[in-house]
Amino acid sequence: MAIQDFKKEVPKAVFGGKAHNLAVLTKTVGDVAQVPQGFAISPDHKIDDKSIKSITKAVDSICGGFPVAVRSSAIGEDGAENSFAGQYDTILDVTDVAGLIHAIGEVRASAHSDRVEAYASNAGLAKTGVGVVVQRMINSTMSGVLFTAEPVENDTSVIFIEAVEGLGDKMVSGHASPDSYEIVKNSGLVKEQHCIEGPPMSREDLSKMLEIGLHIENTFGCPQDIEWAITRGIDGMNYYVLQARPITTI
């Protein structure tokens, strides 16, 4: 089980929390959103000539080819008690095999960064293996995060959305200030809205975000921190869930 498609069972203890959650989402959110096709690589999977061929084959058969995004999936990451949110490296827009193997190495190496070791130490956690998630790259026209509870006041009656134009890494890196929206769950009313850089999200987009958030919260049974993306094309709007984890502060 060194490489596993999200469409199959992806055990948390083998592939890590993010990969497990993505497999659950792949099987459950189809009515409200899409999960980019992808697969998980276990922490102990050695990268050699044989495995490179298997990984390349998985990119073609599962992700539909390059480009792909490469993320961490550590044992203990994205769990109910510890999220490790933003601690490990993420490599976007990987366009070839050499770049993919390098990205896998970079993500694994980030487990030894000062920030990860400090987070684990503060949480009283032992060092664990780092699995890797490889997903089809979504070149979004808008992206962001969605909390199914307001994360500062822990208000579970609302969802809280942050959004930027383009890829979400601009927000994570601090190069773009996100617009924000607070929506009442039981009515769908926009309680607060602060737009800084881009045009406001449409009412349709906000309603879809509410639907997605409630669906995922119900699936996992607790408030969720969700990364999302939207693409717009001649065929209309496509909504993607890139990852989801419990909000550990509630």
Side-chain angles (χ1 to χ4, degrees):
M1 295 180 67
I3 298 175
Q4 190 74 318
D5 190 335
F6 293 151
K7 293 178 181 178
K8 300 179 180 179
E9 182 181 358
V10 179
K12 186 182 298 185
V14 177
F15 293 98
K18 184 181 280 98
H20 171 77
N21 292 351
L22 283 166
V24 172
L25 291 166
T26 297
K27 299 175 183 67
T28 58
V29 303
D31 291 339
V32 297
Q34 302 176 57
V35 177
Q37 302 99 310
F39 59 93
I41 304 171
S42 63
D44 60 353
H45 190 48
K46 185 179 180 181
I47 303 300
D48 55 24
D49 289 344
K50 182 178 179 180
S51 66
I52 289 172
K53 290 180 180 179
S54 297
I55 292 169
T56 303
K57 183 178 178 180
V59 169
D60 290 336
S61 63
I62 298 172
C63 302
F66 291 101
V68 295
V70 182
R71 296 181 167 90
S72 67
S73 182
I75 309 300
E77 182 182 9
D78 288 358
E81 296 180 356
N82 300 286
S83 70
F84 284 87
Q87 303 301 311
Y88 297 97
D89 287 349
T90 293
I91 313 297
L92 301 180
D93 206 22
V94 177
T95 58
D96 56 31
V97 174
L100 175 58
I101 301 310
H102 177 75
I104 292 170
E106 289 289 300
V107 170
R108 285 179 165 177
S110 68
H112 306 293
S113 68
D114 291 342
R115 64 180 183 271
V116 171
E117 292 188 350
Y119 184 101
S121 177
N122 291 336
L125 300 173
K127 290 184 179 180
T128 60
V130 180
V132 176
V133 161
V134 180
Q135 291 176 283
R136 181 168 67 89
M137 181 69 194
I138 303 299
N139 289 306
S140 53
T141 54
M142 183 176 291
S143 55
V145 293
L146 185 162
F147 298 90
T148 64
E150 199 285 319
V152 177
E153 300 296 332
N154 293 338
D155 184 354
T156 58
S157 70
V158 300
I159 68 166
F160 181 77
I161 301 168
E162 289 187 325
V164 294
E165 290 188 285
L167 300 178
D169 62 328
K170 295 187 302 181
M171 182 172 63
V172 174
S173 66
H175 288 112
S177 299
D179 298 339
S180 64
Y181 307 83
E182 197 169 300
I183 303 174
V184 179
K185 286 180 177 178
N186 62 10
S187 67
L189 293 176
V190 179
K191 184 178 179 180
E192 291 189 22
Q193 175 175 319
H194 301 283
C195 294
I196 299 172
E197 294 198 359
M201 293 182 73
S202 69
R203 181 63 195 176
E204 180 184 5
D205 288 342
L206 292 174
S207 295
K208 192 67 176 180
M209 289 293 106
L210 176 59
E211 181 184 12
I212 290 169
L214 293 178
H215 184 94
I216 294 175
E217 182 177 70
N218 289 335
T219 295
F220 289 105
C222 63
Q224 295 288 303
D225 170 359
I226 301 161
E227 184 179 331
W228 56 268
I230 300 174
T231 62
R232 289 184 173 86
I234 57 174
D235 58 343
M237 292 172 288
N238 297 292
Y239 299 87
Y240 294 91
V241 176
L242 307 180
Q243 56 183 308
R245 59 171 70 92
I247 299 176
T248 56
T249 57
I250 295 179

